[in-house]
Amino acid sequence: MRTKSTYTLEEPLKFKQQLLQWSREFEEIAWLDSNNYHQDHGEFDALLALGAFTAIKTDYHQAFAKLQEYQQTTKDWIFGYLSYDLKNDVERLSSKNHDGLDFPDLYFFQPQKLFLLKGNHLEMHYLRMVDDEIEEDFTKISNLPTSQTITETGEPKTENSQPKIQSRISKEEYLQKVEKMLAYIQRGDIYEANFCQEFFAENREMEPFKVFQDLNEISGPPFATFLKLEEHYLLSASPERYLKKSGSKLISQPIKGTARRSQNPEEDIKIAEELSKDPKEQSENVMIVDLVRNDLSKIAKKASVNVDELCKVYSFKQVHQMISTISAEIDDGIPPVEALRATFPMGSMTGAPKISAMKIIEELEETKRGLYSGAVGYFTPNGDFDFNVVIRSILYNSAKKYVSFSVGGAITAGSKPEKEYEECLLKAAAMRQALK
């Protein structure tokens, strides 16, 4: 049981900064921030979950069954992630590529303290064991000094004094691997597959809060996430929703199609218009929409799957993106976790047909994806949930001092390897800048 207190905030943005600053003392942190980006399906402007009362951490074996038991046992707010490699629980697949991060395949926790922000309205939901701290915490947070940036602890490290970010594969290797994927497409094994590459650094120290703030400032996405679970950190500037459940309604919003922004307003509008009409980008998006429709049909009421919006271009700070919205009504008796299992991994990060694409991805990629291209989000006590797609994200193991970010794109019959490589660099730009 939780005790709830509500407050009206005079300066919501200032309080958000104070709240994030204050949260640094906790061992388990999940911060989800919409950055006030207008979206039709958003429930909150921001959520913060702190301090694990209970938790589940496991590899992929029976992971969804264990999560279902945990979710139905707690019947409370729980926050955490599904790594891409839970594909091995869903299908007869494996993950044998290099793993420098060493994250568990699944990790969720039941927070002691929870903050929900919407406009100038704040709700604090504390477990009974700590509910006598609500007023004290609110006062402490409200009185914290704020600045535009979270200060670093210790001496700040410069890019020149740190081990350099390097690519797991060379540009030449990348181009060769895309050619191999195109050969699979021409042979008819797949229509489309998401091919990714890793950038990493070893023995690299960083201040995760500071890097997250810098990344979020650069990108300002609707599904930004700061996650700290023991030595494992996720700093995410994701623009993509994987799956949301609200009552009986399911919403998925896959992204396929990317174009750069321009500082020239007229040129920027032209770039967005060209993206919206690009036949290659449209075909990528439509293929994934069909895959998502098929996945949702496994757990949806008959004839309830609908494409609400097809190939609409949305603009973010750094890129234009082509996004589609698919909805469905979940069938009676389907547990919430089953909706995730039936649709995981998300089509935008796999390809079509899905299983063939995942096998080819495993063959051609050099790095175990782990949390990258997985999902982070939360369940409510009544079984609703909302999860993002972990892209445009930095992953960090503070014990191993290993930092990693991966980028990729959809390879179709119309793909040009050189152009795909350029798109990877465009997507990598924000992470590189945040790490300087």
Side-chain angles (χ1 to χ4, degrees), residues 51-230:
F53 175 56
T54 65
I56 177 175
K57 177 173 64 170
T58 183
D59 63 15
Y60 68 85
H61 292 95
Q62 295 294 307
F64 281 105
K66 293 171 186 174
L67 176 60
Q68 182 170 313
E69 181 183 9
Y70 181 65
Q71 186 267 325
Q72 293 184 341
T73 301
T74 59
K75 284 189 166 55
D76 192 10
W77 292 87
I78 57 173
F79 289 72
Y81 69 76
L82 313 165
S83 79
Y84 172 80
D85 299 284
L86 295 188
K87 66 183 175 61
N88 306 335
D89 182 34
V90 179
E91 305 290 348
R92 292 175 64 87
L93 298 168
S94 61
S95 300
K96 297 176 182 176
N97 289 328
H98 174 79
D99 179 16
L101 284 161
D102 198 27
F103 278 44
D105 290 334
L106 178 147
Y107 201 143
F108 278 81
F109 74 100
Q110 178 187 12
Q112 296 180 33
K113 302 182 179 185
L114 176 63
F115 300 78
L116 312 175
L117 292 92
K118 183 76 171 179
N120 66 347
H121 182 76
L122 167 70
E123 292 182 8
M124 295 170 65
H125 296 241
Y126 277 34
L127 289 177
R128 290 285 169 86
M129 60 187 286
V130 291
D131 64 3
D132 59 335
E133 300 173 17
I134 289 180
E135 288 295 333
E136 179 186 347
D137 284 353
F138 179 76
T139 302
K140 188 187 298 182
I141 297 163
S142 301
N143 289 329
L144 279 175
T146 59
S147 62
Q148 285 302 107
T149 58
I150 289 175
T151 55
E152 296 195 27
T153 57
E155 289 296 316
K157 301 286 192 300
T158 64
E159 177 75 9
N160 291 335
S161 67
Q162 291 270 44
K164 292 283 189 286
I165 299 291
Q166 54 189 305
S167 56
R168 179 65 58 188
I169 59 175
S170 67
K171 179 181 177 180
E172 291 71 27
E173 288 173 312
Y174 176 88
L175 298 177
Q176 290 169 8
K177 286 173 180 288
V178 173
E179 290 288 1
K180 287 182 181 178
M181 193 162 276
L182 286 169
Y184 279 117
I185 292 170
Q186 288 155 7
R187 203 169 74 179
D189 295 332
I190 50 171
Y191 305 111
E192 173 179 353
N194 191 280
F195 177 58
C196 302
Q197 59 174 317
E198 182 196 22
F199 295 84
F200 72 99
E202 296 173 309
N203 297 313
R204 178 143 176 157
E205 295 181 10
M206 72 178 200
E207 188 75 20
F209 267 98
K210 179 69 169 60
V211 175
F212 168 72
Q213 188 180 50
D214 290 344
L215 180 63
N216 196 37
E217 181 63 29
I218 293 164
S219 304
F223 299 101
T225 303
F226 179 91
L227 191 68
K228 175 192 175 188
L229 297 169
E230 300 172 49

Side-chain angles (χ1 to χ4, degrees), residues 300-316:
K301 290 182 178 176
K302 192 173 181 180
S304 72
V305 180
N306 186 59
V307 179
D308 301 343
E309 197 170 67
L310 184 64
C311 297
K312 182 173 178 180
V313 172
Y314 288 81
S315 298
F316 301 91

Side-chain angles (χ1 to χ4, degrees), residues 183-409:
Y184 279 117
I185 292 170
Q186 288 155 7
R187 203 169 74 179
D189 295 332
I190 50 171
Y191 305 111
E192 173 179 353
N194 191 280
F195 177 58
C196 302
Q197 59 174 317
E198 182 196 22
F199 295 84
F200 72 99
E202 296 173 309
N203 297 313
R204 178 143 176 157
E205 295 181 10
M206 72 178 200
E207 188 75 20
F209 267 98
K210 179 69 169 60
V211 175
F212 168 72
Q213 188 180 50
D214 290 344
L215 180 63
N216 196 37
E217 181 63 29
I218 293 164
S219 304
F223 299 101
T225 303
F226 179 91
L227 191 68
K228 175 192 175 188
L229 297 169
E230 300 172 49
E231 69 269 29
H232 310 296
Y233 289 85
L234 166 71
L235 324 174
S236 179
S238 175
E240 184 173 359
R241 171 179 276 123
Y242 157 43
L243 192 64
K244 176 182 179 181
K245 177 181 176 291
S246 182
S248 62
K249 187 171 185 178
L250 297 170
I251 295 284
S252 183
Q253 295 181 291
I255 291 178
K256 272 287 162 272
T258 304
R260 68 180 178 88
R261 297 296 306 266
S262 171
Q263 292 183 342
N264 181 309
E266 291 181 2
E267 184 186 21
D268 194 55
I269 291 170
K270 185 180 177 183
I271 292 169
E273 287 177 349
E274 288 174 350
L275 174 62
S276 70
K277 298 171 184 175
D278 187 313
K280 174 188 173 291
E281 305 286 14
Q282 286 180 337
S283 68
E284 284 182 17
N285 198 295
V286 169
M287 276 191 265
I288 297 308
V289 167
D290 284 342
L291 190 154
V292 172
R293 289 172 61 220
N294 182 64
D295 282 349
L296 287 174
S297 69
K298 300 172 190 173
I299 40 90
K301 290 182 178 176
K302 192 173 181 180
S304 72
V305 180
N306 186 59
V307 179
D308 301 343
E309 197 170 67
L310 184 64
C311 297
K312 182 173 178 180
V313 172
Y314 288 81
S315 298
F316 301 91
K317 280 187 177 182
Q318 284 212 313
V319 291
H320 300 291
Q321 301 275 202
M322 188 181 283
I323 304 176
S324 293
T325 300
I326 306 101
S327 64
E329 292 288 321
I330 193 167
D331 208 353
D332 297 334
I334 301 288
V337 172
E338 179 59 20
L340 294 168
R341 193 200 68 80
T343 56
F344 196 83
M346 62 290 299
S348 62
M349 297 306 295
T350 52
K354 199 173 189 179
I355 296 173
S356 295
M358 288 190 288
K359 288 178 179 177
I360 291 168
I361 285 167
E362 182 68 25
E363 174 197 331
L364 294 179
E365 290 182 357
E366 297 288 336
T367 305
K368 178 182 173 180
R369 287 193 181 181
L371 182 46
Y372 171 71
S373 76
V376 168
Y378 63 89
F379 289 87
T380 68
N382 65 2
D384 286 346
F385 58 72
D386 201 359
F387 283 84
N388 76 358
V389 178
V390 179
I391 54 175
R392 319 292 159 81
S393 300
I394 296 168
L395 293 157
Y396 184 55
N397 184 317
S398 61
K400 296 177 70 175
K401 297 182 180 178
Y402 186 94
V403 62
S404 167
F405 64 88
S406 294
V407 289

